[in-house]
Amino acid sequence: MIPSPAPLVSVIIPTRNRPGLLQRAVDSVVAQTYRPIEIVIVDNASDVPVSVRSGDLACIVHRNARMLKAAPNRNLGVARSNGELVAFLDDDDTLLPAKFSLLVAALDGVELSYGNTRMVGHAGRELGLNRGRGGIDKLLHYRYIHPNATVMRRGAFEAVRFDEGMTTY
């Protein structure tokens, strides 16, 4: 039996006027141990159009003519993407190198997988940790899984999408 190819992960990164942070975020995607990956940047009407180095990864840039809220930017990114799997990354965040290897493997028979997210403030000060499976009771209680913590099948995303009336996430 011939193994099926690994599914393409589309990483959606909304950004506005933060080129240094954006490049750091893109570098963390390039450093992933998983392949194939494409990067989809949604430039939310930055003063200067974005430009990044994406190594061996395809990079699609969509530039908005005017500023939009977070939800429409993420929805636009998915609409411009090609992957069977969808992931999100804010421009001021980074990924650990094995994130997609682990979360794609965890998608066996399910629509969405998620892992821990660690929030770190200025000067490396720990702000908190949202845990995956071990903290499910807290996640259910607070109804909070950060979009950056997920990898999901495109069909699952398209069934719900981000609510464009919301101001965040």
Side-chain angles (χ1 to χ4, degrees), residues 34-50:
Y34 179 89
R35 292 292 189 272
I37 298 173
E38 74 174 358
I39 299 169
V40 180
I41 297 171
V42 180
D43 179 357
N44 196 18
S46 293
D47 295 336
V48 175
V50 301

Side-chain angles (χ1 to χ4, degrees), residues 7-72:
L8 175 65
V9 174
S10 295
V11 183
I12 314 307
I13 309 175
T15 191
R16 177 170 164 71
N17 290 335
R18 302 201 287 190
L21 291 174
L22 174 62
Q23 185 62 59
R24 185 184 73 164
V26 167
D27 289 345
S28 78
V29 177
V30 172
Q32 290 298 297
T33 57
Y34 179 89
R35 292 292 189 272
I37 298 173
E38 74 174 358
I39 299 169
V40 180
I41 297 171
V42 180
D43 179 357
N44 196 18
S46 293
D47 295 336
V48 175
V50 301
S51 174
V52 296
R53 296 173 311 283
S54 61
D56 66 326
L57 301 181
C59 185
I60 299 165
V61 177
H62 170 81
R63 181 169 165 77
N64 294 339
R66 63 182 176 82
M67 275 183 47
L68 301 173
K69 294 179 183 175

